[in-house]
């Protein structure tokens, strides 16, 4: 049997089994071996019945007193009861539900290992539906991810059958010196240890080796890319114009803004492309930094592009740049809903170089968009874009030069992860808010407090301010999200906010519609904007001072922090009201964290701890390779080691 053969050639695998395995993405002996256990059960250490912990998985060795007896307790349902005795003479009640097959396996007078949780009633200790095996199976057993119709134990048996047949065919994937220097198991040995470990040390060593493998190959790719970029040419941008721009701003830039602008500007003076991530909390004023750099780029005779994750944000940036640049530079807007003729005109202008500056969404990443001399690409809210999409931007010039890239994000990302997601890059942080900002008051209230909360909103509307209301996201179905926005806006118009102008904004509106609503809200003719999380990133309407989030428990902390960041953008005091009826303590604690914390980094950290990395930055969206073993968040040391190993390997080849 070969590693790449169809799995149905393995003994014990028929058509039906092969279909089930396919659902687990197991199609060959190799993919079977790559189906790693998600945990292990310890059948090695057993306890006595009297000494067993209550309600915790444990393993007991005992002898069956009598063949299981069937009790019918509901139509068609039955349970089997028996009893076992351990070497101390203590008794354990055993109940098996609905499985005559399992019950038949328990033979009177035979000794078994029982694995499960023990409960205690007033008569004796009991185990419900234990797993059981003969005593010679006292070892660590893997627990595999399963699917309907196939158990972990069955996968274990298949692995045991396949392993000896194909192990010899597994070829080493790491250079020999790497295996030695980093004290790794060989790949063959690792496969044995991950599926059939003798002890915890085997498991640890196997995991390390397999995770190392994944990260090493990732790093190899990244470092190759990096060496490639170092060889790429970029247009050098002189930075005198930046000072011209900054002096004309309607406000004084903060020291942090000046510093990060300088950092980026000095990168851009070089003929190698900049790769810089600008991290700065919501409201820190990242847009102005981008504007200054784009301004200098265009004044130097090159083209600039400003990429935003949503149409709403792209329109806003377009408008901001128009205002900031006045008659000096005219930015164009290219988004999905741009009219076809207009799109054609812009694309042609970008290709010939007659259009110096464009703001847009993913529409800018289409294959038919090319630039004559793109020197700077700014990617706002970078975490919303995938790795591959970013790659697209770097290939757009008709001339043989790569643009400088400035990625911006309010979501703080640990260094090691940033490196993996963005490739190797430099980080600038905007760690100072513009002066005069008042801290945003945050309240967590129950639904019963709504009348009071909206009276508070109304009072501020009377004073000439504006408010956002973010609506319940009941599930991920965008239709129901839209429906709930409409319904909730109606409810506000009829009850809580009668007589005020209430508008709605959601993802399903046409581009024109969105534009109209945003313009009305920015102009103040709409007083309240009821919206989905489309407003989460970037929006900037300083006159809006209240943010109400309904069903706040549905959101991640970083997301709530971003939403809250829509207010507190002017000099007036702002308020964020989180409405939630959640009873669970963790939800309440989480929301309270937000109350006492204004630091995005601390909140992101808390999010990471409670919700895991997937939620945190939508790893799938990022086009990160799907790792079976490595964990980008926790394997920081391995990331360093593999980076070093990859660099050494590449150097040796050169
Ligand atoms: P973010 O970093 O969240 O993208 P923005 O760039 O949208 O923040 O800036 C938030 C608001 O702060 C905008 O209205 C902007 O005009 C204003 N702003 C930026 N820098 C300053 C500054 N130095 N002084 C006063 N206001 C500023
Ligand atoms: Mg922004």
């Amino acid at each position: 049997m070969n590693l790449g053969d169809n799995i149905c050639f393995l003994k014990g695998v028929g058509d039906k089994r092969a279909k089930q395995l396919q659902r687990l993405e197991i199609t060959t002996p190799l993919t079977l071996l790559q189906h790693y256990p998600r945990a292990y059960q310890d059948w090695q250490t057993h306890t006595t019945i009297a000494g067993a912990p209550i309600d915790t998985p444990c393993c007991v060795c005992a002898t069956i007193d009598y063949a299981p007896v069937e009790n019918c307790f509901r139509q068609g349902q039955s349970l089997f009861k028996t009893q076992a005795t351990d070497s101390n003479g203590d008794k354990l009640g055993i109940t098996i539900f609905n499985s005559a097959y399992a019950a038949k396996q328990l033979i009177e007078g035979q000794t078994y290992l029982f694995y499960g949780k023990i409960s205690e009633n007033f008569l004796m200790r009991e185990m419900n539906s234990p797993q059981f095996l003969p005593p010679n199976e006292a070892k660590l057993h893997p627990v595999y991810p399963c699917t309907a119709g196939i158990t972990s134990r069955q996968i274990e048996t298949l692995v045991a059958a396949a392993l000896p047949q194909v192990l010899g065919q597994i070829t080493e994937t790491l250079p020999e010196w790497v295996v030695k220097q980093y004290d790794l198991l060989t790949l063959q040995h690792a496969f044995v240890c991950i599926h059939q470990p003798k002890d915890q040390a085997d498991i640890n060593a196997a995991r390390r080796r397999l995770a190392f493998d994944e990260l090493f190959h990732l790093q190899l790719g990244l470092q190759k890319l990096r060496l490639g970029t170092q060889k790429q040419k970029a247009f050098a941008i002189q930075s005198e114009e930046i000072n011209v721009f900054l002096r004309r701003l309607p406000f004084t830039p903060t020291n942090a803004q000046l510093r990060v602008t300088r950092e980026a500007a000095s990168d851009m003076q070089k003929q190698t492309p900049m790769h810089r991530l600008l991290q700065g909390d919501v409201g820190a004023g990242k847009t102005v930094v981008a504007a200054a750099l784009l301004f200098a780029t265009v004044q130097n005779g090159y083209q600039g592009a400003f990429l935003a994750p949503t149409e709403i944000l792209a329109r806003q940036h377009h408008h901001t740049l128009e205002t900031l640049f006045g008659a000096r530079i005219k930015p164009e807007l290219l988004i999905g809903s741009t009219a076809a003729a207009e799109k054609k005109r812009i694309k042609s202008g970008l290709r010939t170089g007659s259009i110096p500056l464009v703001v847009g969404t993913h529409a800018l990443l289409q294959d038919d968009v090319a630039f004559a001399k793109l020197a700077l690409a700014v990617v706002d809210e970078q975490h919303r874009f995938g790795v591959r999409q970013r790659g697209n931007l770097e290939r757009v010039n008709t001339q043989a030069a790569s643009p400088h890239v400035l990625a911006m994000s309010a979501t703080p990302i640990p260094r090691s992860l940033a490196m993996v997601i963005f490739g190797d890059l430099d980080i600038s942080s905007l760690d100072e808010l513009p002066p005069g900002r008042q801290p945003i008051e945050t309240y967590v209230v129950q639904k019963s407090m709504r009348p009071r909360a909206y009276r508070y909103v109304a009072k501020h509307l009377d004073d000439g301010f504006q408010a956002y209301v973010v609506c319940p996201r009941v599930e991920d179905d965008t239709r129901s999200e839209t429906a709930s926005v409409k319904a909730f806006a109606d409810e506000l118009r009829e009850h809580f906010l009668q007589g005020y102008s209430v508008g709605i904004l959601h993802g399903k509106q046409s581009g024109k519609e969105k534009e109209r609503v945003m313009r009305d809200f920015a102009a103040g003719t709409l007083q309240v904007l009821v919206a989905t999380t489309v407003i989460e990133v970037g929006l900037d309407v300083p006159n809006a001072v209240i943010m109400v989030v309904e069903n706040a428990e549905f959101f991640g902390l970083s997301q709530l922090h971003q939403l809250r960041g829509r207010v507190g953008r002017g000099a007036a005091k702002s308020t964020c009201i989180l409405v939630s009826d959640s009873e669970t303590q963790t939800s309440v604690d989480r929301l309270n964290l937000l109350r006492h914390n204004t630091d995005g980094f601390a909140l992101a950290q808390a999010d990471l701890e409670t919700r895991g990395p997937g939620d945190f930055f939508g790893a799938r969206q990022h086009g990160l390779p799907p790792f079976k073993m490595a964990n980008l968040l926790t394997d920081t040391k391995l990331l360093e080691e593999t980076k070093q190993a990859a660099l050494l390997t590449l150097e040796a080849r050169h």
Side-chain angles (χ1 to χ4, degrees), residues 251-254 257 280-288 434-435 437 538 540 542 569:
F251 43 73
T252 319
T254 63
Q257 281 170 324
D281 213 341
V282 276
K286 296 184 284 295
T287 318
V288 167
R437 295 275 170 85
D540 186 43
R569 300 187 149 241

Side-chain angles (χ1 to χ4, degrees), residues 286-287 313 317 380-381 408 538 569:
K286 296 184 284 295
T287 318
L313 194 52
H317 283 329
D380 195 17
E381 308 292 345
M408 307 202 289
R569 300 187 149 241

Side-chain angles (χ1 to χ4, degrees), residues 242-262 284-290 292 324 430 432-435 437:
I242 288 180
N243 296 326
V244 176
F245 174 81
L246 292 177
R247 267 199 303 275
R248 293 219 210 156
L249 279 178
F251 43 73
T252 319
T254 63
N255 285 327
Q257 281 170 324
L258 292 176
R259 173 173 43 78
V260 301
T261 309
R262 246 192 338 262
K286 296 184 284 295
T287 318
V288 167
V289 176
L324 287 173
L430 204 50
E432 181 187 351
L433 291 180
R437 295 275 170 85

Side-chain angles (χ1 to χ4, degrees), residues 384 471-484 506-508 532-534 536 551 553-556 559 611 614-615 618 620-621:
R384 293 298 188 91
C471 242
R473 184 192 58 163
V474 180
E475 51 205 327
D476 276 340
D477 181 352
T478 36
R479 268 168 313 157
S480 78
E481 202 170 296
T482 308
S484 75
H506 56 78
K508 285 283 151 81
T532 58
T533 48
V534 289
E536 175 184 340
N551 285 32
E553 72 275 10
F554 283 109
F555 300 93
Q559 209 178 5
R611 309 192 348 149
D615 268 355
R620 233 170 305 134
Q621 223 169 287

Side-chain angles (χ1 to χ4, degrees), residues 446-649:
Q446 301 249 304
K447 282 193 183 140
S448 58
M449 296 265 286
R450 262 196 197 135
R452 223 177 114 187
Y454 284 103
R455 268 204 301 282
Y456 183 83
V457 173
K459 186 175 140 296
H460 283 79
L461 301 180
D462 290 340
D463 290 344
F465 292 111
Q466 290 164 278
Y468 295 100
V469 178
V470 172
C471 242
R473 184 192 58 163
V474 180
E475 51 205 327
D476 276 340
D477 181 352
T478 36
R479 268 168 313 157
S480 78
E481 202 170 296
T482 308
S484 75
V485 166
K486 283 188 189 138
F488 200 74
D490 285 341
E491 194 180 330
L492 288 180
R493 289 185 193 113
E494 279 162 33
H495 301 291
F496 301 124
L497 297 174
Q498 234 176 23
Y500 297 95
S501 61
V502 177
I504 60 173
L505 191 68
H506 56 78
K508 285 283 151 81
Q509 280 162 324
S510 71
K512 276 224 155 53
E513 184 79 15
K514 281 183 208 153
E515 186 188 354
R516 192 182 54 73
V517 173
M518 267 323 293
R519 209 181 31 227
D520 289 351
F521 190 67
T525 40
L526 271 182
Q527 294 171 286
V528 181
L529 193 60
V530 182
T532 58
T533 48
V534 289
I535 64 157
E536 175 184 340
V537 291
L539 279 201
D540 186 43
V541 179
N543 193 48
V545 297
I546 300 184
M547 166 62 70
V548 183
V549 184
E550 294 280 344
N551 285 32
E553 72 275 10
F554 283 109
F555 300 93
L557 288 177
S558 291
Q559 209 178 5
L560 287 170
H561 181 62
Q562 283 270 355
L563 284 170
R564 176 169 66 178
R566 293 314 112 222
V567 299
R569 300 187 149 241
K573 183 173 148 273
S574 293
T575 311
C576 175
I577 303 172
L578 306 173
V579 185
S580 166
D581 263 354
S582 176
E583 305 267 303
T584 65
Q585 195 53 39
T586 42
S587 275
V588 176
D589 285 350
R590 241 163 42 91
L591 293 180
N592 274 323
L593 264 181
L594 213 80
R595 229 186 112 180
H596 303 297
N597 226 321
T598 53
D599 173 7
F601 202 96
L603 289 168
Q605 208 63 35
D607 239 5
L608 269 177
E609 282 156 24
T610 50
R611 309 192 348 149
D615 268 355
F616 176 56
F617 62 8
R620 233 170 305 134
Q621 223 169 287
H622 273 287
L624 282 177
F627 293 124
K628 288 178 187 294
M629 194 56 81
N631 177 335
L632 288 176
L633 263 183
T634 48
D635 288 331
T636 29
K637 183 145 172 284
L638 267 191
L639 269 169
E640 286 305 319
E641 282 179 319
T642 48
K643 178 179 174 185
Q644 186 195 37
L647 277 175
L648 289 170
T649 308

Side-chain angles (χ1 to χ4, degrees), residues 146-211:
C146 302
T147 178
I150 185 161
T151 64
S152 177
R153 191 83 58 223
Q154 285 161 333
I155 297 177
E156 188 180 344
T157 312
L158 292 179
V159 170
L163 207 49
Q165 294 186 56
V166 297
L167 191 62
Q169 300 166 32
I170 290 172
T171 48
E172 185 51 58
T173 48
L174 291 176
E176 208 180 306
W177 70 267
V178 172
V179 175
K180 281 220 184 70
Q181 182 162 329
Y182 293 90
D183 197 18
L184 301 169
L185 301 184
T186 62
L187 189 55
Q188 293 195 3
H189 193 183
F191 273 123
V192 175
C193 288
I194 203 73
H195 293 291
Q196 304 178 336
K198 288 187 306 302
D199 49 26
Q200 189 61 41
D202 273 0
I203 299 172
N204 295 347
R207 279 190 174 149
R208 173 174 155 80
R209 155 66 213 230
L210 296 169

